[in-house]
């Protein structure tokens, strides 16, 4: 009798220590752990992968609603890029993008529309790159199909909406040996690029903490999303569903999967008030899963931390909350770009100032001098044209230019499929943390143990 009772008790302890949720994860020793599939036999990683050079990058665009048309326009300004095909659910949107090409003196592209038009575009044999600007829920199916059709892929943010979808992107990219880059434009913002260069040259000392966010009241924009897909998704899902704009630049500075790795996160949210009011008005629903404010803390293997926030509901100024906290200096982008440094870190740039202190921001003239001195080489190369062509102040154009330049020159892309997975997986991971009382969540290693194979982020030259 005692033996049976002991065995029952032991089994109960094991179940409490490691129990499955039925949602693709289990709770082990108080930590949420997601399933990590094994790679196929012989499957190799895509770290620093470079495809054969492509003289003219023939591109097909899927999704011509809010972001797609401007991407088409930007591509007409890039040497060695050709718009071959256009696709959208609605034929009239394709026609409007044809007008963009005509207005720029470019030849008309092949047209596709309807539910399966995107598949027909991917199946063409005269396309090198498929550029996806559709709603979030369709990103992975389209990206996977395009890679399986032998195409490189650029996909809008976030690239995937679940951990399982992130693994699909990673495994397909590794198996097909095709690039899968997420179109994270904010890493090309001029301030973020400059801070990346400063950090890589040691100006901040060792960067210990970074912050990022997507804080943008979308009240004026909800009606522009086709079939209300974005508000509908937020109504059904908690967590930071749109983390990449703030998270991506932080991960680059901290060399994530290039010498450090994301270890675990904890997340919590407020109740939904404004989001629920909007959904009641527009959708006639009485529940709203996404909190008005979501805050997430991430810990890395090397002892660094990242704070990420999401709020698209309440009235407040736009803010990506970009901050870098280093042992020798500090960067802060919002509401005004500013720096604070130990005086000896910037002696050359501030020789005429004798009262500098890390307790306050450097004077505007010193800030401007530092921004000029440490301007990233990519910005130096293309800034003038980027500001002329535009797209969120030029960073969209830099993103597209770099994508095409790397493909044309057979170089590794600035962002790889592991970036896409790491930055996108926060959606489901934060939701799992919130659903379980803000328990810590182990962040999957999408490189499968190769996170320190590359020593530091280095963008191709």
């Amino acid at each position: 009798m005692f033996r049976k009772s002991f065995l029952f008790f032991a089994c109960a302890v094991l179940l409490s220590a490691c129990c499955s949720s039925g949602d693709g994860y289990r709770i082990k020793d108080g930590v949420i752990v997601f399933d990590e599939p094994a790679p196929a036999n012989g499957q190799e990683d895509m770290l620093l992968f470079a495809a054969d050079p492509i003289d003219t990058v023939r591109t097909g665009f899927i999704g011509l609603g809010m972001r797609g048309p401007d991407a088409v326009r930007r591509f007409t300004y890039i040497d060695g890029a050709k718009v071959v095909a256009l696709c959208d659910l609605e034929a009239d949107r394709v026609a409007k993008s044809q007008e963009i090409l005509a207005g720029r003196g470019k030849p008309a592209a092949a047209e596709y529309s309807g539910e399966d038009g995107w598949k027909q575009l991917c199946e063409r044999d005269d396309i090198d790159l498929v550029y996806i600007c559709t709603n979030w829920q369709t990103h992975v199916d389209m990206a996977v199909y395009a890679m399986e059709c032998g195409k490189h892929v650029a996909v809008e943010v976030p690239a995937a909406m679940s951990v399982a979808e992130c693994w699909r992107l990673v495994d397909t990219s590794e198996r097909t040996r095709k690039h899968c880059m997420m179109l994270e434009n904010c890493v090309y913002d001029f301030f973020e690029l400059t801070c990346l260069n400063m950090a890589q040259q040691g100006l901040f000392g060792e960067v210990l903490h970074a912050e990022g966010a997507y804080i943008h009241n979308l009240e004026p924009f909800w009606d522009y999303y086709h079939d209300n897909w974005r508000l509908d998704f937020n109504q059904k899902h908690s967590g930071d569903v749109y983390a990449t704009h703030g998270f991506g630049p932080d991960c680059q500075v901290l060399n994530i999967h290039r010498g450090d790795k994301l270890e675990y996160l904890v997340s919590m949210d407020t109740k939904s008030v404004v989001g629920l009011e909007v959904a009641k008005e527009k959708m006639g629903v009485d529940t709203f899963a996404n909190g008005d404010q979501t805050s997430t803390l991430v810990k890395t293997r090397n002892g660094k931390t990242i704070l990420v926030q999401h709020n698209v509901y309440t009235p407040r100024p736009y803010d990506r909350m970009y901050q870098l906290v280093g042992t020798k200096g500090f960067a802060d982008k919002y509401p005004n770009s500013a720096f604070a440094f130990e005086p000896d870190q910037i002696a050359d740039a501030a020789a005429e100032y004798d009262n500098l202190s890390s307790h306050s921001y450097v004077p505007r003239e010193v800030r401007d001098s530092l921004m000029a001195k440490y301007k990233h080489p990519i910005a130096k190369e293309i800034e003038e044209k980027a500001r002329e062509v535009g797209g969120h102040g030029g960073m969209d154009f830099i993103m597209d230019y770099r994508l095409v330049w790397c493909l044309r020159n057979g170089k590794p892309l600035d962002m790889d499929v592991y970036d896409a997975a790491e930055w996108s997986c926060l959606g489901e991971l934060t939701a799992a943390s919130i659903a379980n009382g803000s328990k810590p969540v182990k962040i999957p290693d999408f490189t499968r143990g190769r996170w320190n194979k590359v020593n530091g982020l280095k963008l191709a030259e």
Side-chain angles (χ1 to χ4, degrees):
M1 181 68 180
F2 175 79
R3 178 179 173 83
K4 289 183 179 179
S5 298
F6 176 79
L7 288 173
F8 178 81
F9 174 77
C11 289
V13 170
L14 285 172
L15 284 172
S16 65
C18 183
C19 58
S20 174
S21 70
D23 294 317
Y25 63 81
R26 63 193 186 280
I27 300 176
K28 182 178 180 181
D29 299 329
V31 178
I32 299 169
V33 181
F34 275 76
D35 298 336
E36 297 191 19
N41 289 336
Q43 192 165 304
E44 298 180 5
D45 67 67
M46 295 290 285
L47 295 165
L48 296 182
F49 172 76
D52 292 337
I54 304 170
D55 182 60
T56 300
V57 181
R58 302 166 300 176
T59 308
F61 290 84
I62 305 174
L64 300 169
M66 293 180 71
R67 295 199 186 189
D70 199 50
V72 172
R73 181 188 66 85
R74 295 192 303 269
F75 261 61
T76 65
Y77 288 88
I78 301 174
D79 292 339
K82 180 180 181 181
V83 179
V84 171
L86 301 168
C87 177
D88 193 271
L89 276 171
E90 300 179 8
D92 64 324
R93 291 181 173 179
V94 177
K96 289 178 182 177
S97 288
Q98 290 282 30
E99 294 175 3
I100 294 173
L101 295 177
R104 290 281 300 146
K106 303 295 183 180
E111 298 185 3
Y112 298 92
S113 59
E115 292 290 338
D116 294 322
W118 64 273
K119 289 185 176 179
Q120 298 168 32
L121 181 150
C122 291
E123 291 164 1
R124 292 179 64 101
D125 61 6
D126 60 348
I127 287 179
D128 306 297
L129 172 69
V130 173
Y131 197 109
I132 300 169
C133 301
T134 57
N135 63 64
W136 301 337
Q137 299 92 318
T138 59
H139 286 177
V140 172
D141 284 344
M142 291 180 176
V144 166
Y145 192 78
M147 285 186 280
E148 289 177 340
C149 289
K151 312 300 190 291
H152 299 298
V153 168
V155 58
E156 264 293 353
V157 299
M161 303 312 295
S162 70
V163 174
E165 286 191 340
C166 289
W167 281 114
R168 282 185 67 199
L169 292 180
V170 168
D171 283 336
T172 306
S173 179
E174 290 182 347
R175 175 169 47 82
T176 61
R177 314 307 293 166
K178 293 298 175 183
H179 289 296
C180 180
M181 188 189 93
M182 184 168 64
L183 293 162
E184 182 42 72
N185 55 348
C186 292
V187 304
Y188 297 101
D189 179 277
F190 293 105
F191 187 80
E192 275 90 324
L193 271 177
T194 299
C195 287
L196 175 64
N197 192 33
M198 287 179 168
Q200 291 180 333
Q201 297 195 40
L203 206 63
F204 298 110
E206 183 178 3
V207 179
L208 299 175
H209 174 77
E211 300 188 3
Y214 188 71
I215 295 170
H216 185 192
N217 181 11
L218 294 181
E219 189 276 332
F221 305 104
W222 292 120
D223 291 338
Y224 291 95
Y225 295 97
H226 187 264
D227 285 344
N228 195 44
W229 66 262
R230 185 165 185 173
L231 186 63
D232 180 73
F233 188 92
N234 288 13
Q235 189 266 332
K236 293 181 173 66
H237 296 85
S238 64
D240 192 334
V241 297
Y242 199 69
T244 72
H245 285 334
F247 195 49
D250 293 344
C251 288
Q252 285 197 332
V253 169
L254 295 179
N255 292 315
I256 298 304
H257 84 251
R258 300 168 178 92
D260 198 358
K261 69 183 287 290
L262 304 173
E263 199 73 8
Y264 64 89
L265 64 77
V266 293
S267 188
M268 60 185 67
D269 63 356
T270 69
K271 64 181 180 179
S272 174
V273 178
V274 179
L276 178 58
E277 290 174 355
V278 172
K280 280 182 177 179
E281 175 189 345
K282 297 185 179 297
M283 302 170 65
V285 297
D286 294 319
T287 61
F288 199 82
N290 204 250
D292 281 357
Q293 174 91 18
T294 301
S295 300
T296 303
L297 269 173
V298 181
K299 189 71 176 283
T300 78
R301 172 65 63 87
N302 291 344
K304 314 296 181 68
T305 56
I306 307 172
L307 172 63
V308 191
Q309 294 188 10
H310 175 266
N311 182 340
V312 295
Y313 309 105
T314 66
R316 55 184 293 187
Y318 179 91
D319 190 353
R320 294 203 303 277
M321 213 174 76
Y322 182 73
Q323 290 188 358
L324 300 180
V325 178
T327 59
K328 297 291 185 180
F330 171 75
D332 186 10
K333 181 173 171 62
Y334 295 93
N336 299 299
S337 59
F339 301 109
F341 288 103
E342 293 289 349
D344 59 352
Q345 288 295 100
I346 55 171
D348 292 344
E352 61 188 85
Y353 294 88
D354 56 9
N355 60 345
L356 292 180
S357 167
S358 61
H359 293 283
S360 60
Y361 291 126
V362 300
R364 180 183 300 176
E365 295 79 9
V366 176
R367 180 203 63 187
D368 293 345
S369 174
L370 291 169
M371 288 289 292
K373 180 178 180 180
Y374 290 96
K375 182 179 291 187
H376 198 283
I378 289 174
K380 289 181 180 179
E381 176 190 1
I382 200 66
E383 178 178 9
E384 183 177 348
K385 187 171 184 179
R387 293 192 184 280
E388 173 192 342
V389 176
H392 291 98
M395 62 185 180
D396 293 0
F397 179 77
I398 298 177
M399 173 184 69
D400 293 336
Y401 167 81
R402 284 291 297 177
L403 169 60
V404 172
W405 185 90
C406 290
L407 290 173
R408 293 190 71 201
N409 289 277
K411 302 286 188 178
L413 303 189
D414 295 343
M415 295 173 281
D416 60 26
V417 69
Y418 308 110
D419 294 312
E422 289 160 353
W423 305 352
S424 298
C425 74
L426 261 64
E428 187 175 20
L429 299 185
T430 55
S433 179
I434 290 167
N436 289 277
S438 297
K439 276 186 170 60
V441 183
K442 182 179 182 294
I443 302 175
D445 176 11
F446 293 100
T447 71
R448 294 183 170 107
R450 299 179 178 89
W451 55 271
N452 57 358
K453 174 181 174 179
V454 178
N455 183 22
L457 172 68
K458 182 173 176 57
L459 305 184
E461 298 177 356

